[in-house]
Amino acid sequence: MITVSVKWQKELLKAVEIDTTQPPYVFKCQLYDLTGVPPERQKIMVKGGLLKDDADWSTLGVKEGQKLMMMGTADEIVKAPEKGPIFMEDLPEEEQAISLGHGAGLFNLGNTCYMNSTVQCLHSVPELKSALINYSQSGKSNDVDQSSHMLTIATHDLFNELDKSGKAVAPMQFWMVLRKKYPQFGQMHNNFFMQQDAEECWTQLLYTLSQSLRSAGSSENPDAIKSLFGIDFVSRVHCQESGEESSESESVHTLKCHISHEVNHLHEGLKHGLKSELEKNSPSLGRSAIYVKESRINGLPRYLTIQFVRFFWKRESNQKAKILRKVDYPLELDVYDLCSEELRKKLEAPRQKLRDEEGKKLGLKAKGSASKDNDVKMAEAEGSSNESGEPSNSKSAEGGPSEKETQLTGVYDLVAVLTHKGRSADSGHYVAWVKQESGKWIEYDDDNPIPQREEDITKLSGGGDWHMAYICMYKARVVPM
């Protein structure tokens, strides 16, 4: 790490730090934050000419305390006439963000699209934002280590910046703290940061937040991440050879859609993943035996995250290879038939209420008996439910109590898709496609938010080299009870 000064127009920027382990593009992003000059407009004079984004600092001879010269014009806001129409670019940044109807994009700091796409998907969860605000106000708990605390605060700060900024954000602080907490995201090859697996970033970030927010949670909701994303399983493990049988329970944050030549749809892949074989020691046989594990969902979350298991380790090439097979997924997902009998009974009344509400909209009379099929869409009620499907005192996005208690129905609506384009998890490009509160979809390709049509979102199902769904996030449809 060296410190330099930068002369730009009439300003002298003092004590600007350069991390020589990172490419010059990261330094340009720092200058963008300080001056408003976008990286592509910056002309910085160094030994041998202009500073290139991918140059090697060790060959440039930049020394401690050196003064660098930068040329380039900052983003300008055009002033409107005193009495005339007000254009979006004339508004303050916070008002620009509101007018745009979506959050800002994120600059790619050098193969960080995996991180950017993960952040954009999780940023779309208002209840997570509320939990982070509460954490930032309550202060660090003694139960949380410093690196987890710093990453949680950095997540809150980045979410806040995305909401308020009318232009792309450089997630420098978040990236630095993420690499400190999880050094694998700082791996380098030929002086460049390597591409990483977005699912690993998603999993590690949620794990950290679950530890931090649990310690700061209220007595009513001690585990915010579990209530938002936690999926409870109950499993029957039996050995046909010995007749042994046992039951297990576990909680995870993600459902797995296993892909084989038999799987053409998400629902088939989810069913496939609920049954598996494992080899373990049999006490009665005194040797290893094959056991069959059959699982059912016993508790549902507010947000259902599904990973398409597209990558596997290929020994010949010594890398994660990709399954390109097309697997369709719906805008509306019903997981009732994947649930345990216990949970199905709890879901029956809310599901009937869901049908009745929609029936009223269509001018139909409510039926007295519950049907397990043909669920139809209704407007989503405000509030949330706990992971077991029991009624809960739900809260609004601002954190205040709602007027009615709500229950889950087992029906979910697609709100975010994280896609991968390329042949390997450690290469290619990740993009986030996120549904806004207005109902419109935005494609977040790093710093470039692009409006998309809803009918095009389900076309990201694979079958070629185009963007294909790697992680889907669904939001629960709830009803007041």
Side-chain angles (χ1 to χ4, degrees), residues 147-170:
S147 60
S148 295
H149 170 69
M150 293 300 294
L151 182 54
T152 305
I153 292 297
T155 305
H156 163 266
D157 292 346
L158 183 54
F159 280 10
N160 191 44
E161 199 171 354
L162 286 172
D163 284 332
K164 292 183 177 180
S165 179
K167 58 185 180 181
V169 173

Side-chain angles (χ1 to χ4, degrees), residues 53-284:
D53 292 350
D54 57 354
D56 184 351
W57 285 110
S58 63
T59 64
L60 301 178
V62 179
K63 299 177 181 178
E64 177 71 24
Q66 185 173 336
K67 181 189 289 187
L68 302 178
M69 180 77 70
M70 183 181 83
M71 294 180 287
T73 55
D75 285 332
E76 294 182 3
I77 297 178
V78 181
K79 292 183 179 179
E82 189 174 340
K83 292 183 179 180
I86 299 176
F87 298 98
M88 187 179 293
E89 59 265 33
D90 299 319
L91 298 171
E93 277 193 23
E94 290 188 29
E95 292 183 34
Q96 285 187 37
I98 295 171
S99 300
L100 286 170
H102 60 76
L106 289 164
F107 280 113
N108 192 316
L109 304 178
N111 285 330
T112 58
C113 57
Y114 70 92
M115 178 187 78
N116 290 350
S117 54
T118 296
V119 167
Q120 292 289 12
C121 289
L122 294 177
H123 172 249
S124 70
V125 179
E127 298 91 337
L128 179 57
K129 293 182 190 177
S130 296
L132 288 168
I133 290 171
N134 292 338
Y135 179 85
S136 67
Q137 293 173 346
S138 63
K140 178 181 177 295
S141 165
N142 292 331
D143 298 333
V144 181
D145 64 272
Q146 185 63 17
S147 60
S148 295
H149 170 69
M150 293 300 294
L151 182 54
T152 305
I153 292 297
T155 305
H156 163 266
D157 292 346
L158 183 54
F159 280 10
N160 191 44
E161 199 171 354
L162 286 172
D163 284 332
K164 292 183 177 180
S165 179
K167 58 185 180 181
V169 173
M172 281 295 305
Q173 182 63 24
F174 179 85
W175 188 38
M176 290 170 65
V177 175
L178 178 68
R179 285 184 290 128
K180 186 173 182 179
K181 174 66 177 174
Y182 298 107
Q184 64 266 37
F185 297 122
Q187 290 177 318
M188 301 188 76
H189 180 67
N190 293 333
N191 293 320
F192 290 98
F193 283 100
M194 296 170 62
Q195 178 69 285
Q196 301 292 336
D197 189 338
E199 188 274 332
E200 184 179 359
C201 181
W202 185 300
T203 300
Q204 299 286 29
L205 181 56
L206 270 192
Y207 174 76
T208 299
L209 295 180
S210 71
Q211 299 301 301
S212 300
L213 299 181
R214 179 187 294 140
S215 66
S218 65
S219 57
E220 293 179 1
N221 183 17
D223 194 340
I225 295 300
K226 188 177 191 303
S227 65
L228 289 175
F229 302 101
I231 307 159
D232 290 335
F233 279 113
V234 60
S235 305
R236 172 178 171 259
V237 183
H238 61 97
C239 177
Q240 197 166 15
E241 188 179 358
S242 67
E244 294 169 276
E245 184 173 314
S246 62
S247 61
E248 298 177 358
S249 61
E250 62 178 323
S251 182
V252 298
H253 291 146
T254 307
L255 279 182
K256 305 288 185 182
C257 174
H258 292 269
I259 302 173
S260 68
H261 66 280
E262 300 172 347
V263 174
N264 297 303
H265 192 275
L266 170 62
H267 212 275
E268 295 171 340
L270 292 177
K271 274 189 173 180
H272 185 68
L274 292 178
K275 188 173 182 178
S276 60
E277 286 189 352
L278 58 149
E279 184 177 349
K280 65 176 185 176
N281 184 61
S282 167
S284 62

Side-chain angles (χ1 to χ4, degrees), residues 3-21:
T3 303
V4 298
S5 59
V6 180
K7 179 74 167 62
W8 173 65
Q9 295 182 356
K10 295 181 180 179
E11 291 186 48
L12 180 63
L13 308 173
K14 297 180 180 179
V16 181
E17 292 185 339
I18 298 178
D19 187 345
T20 54
T21 64

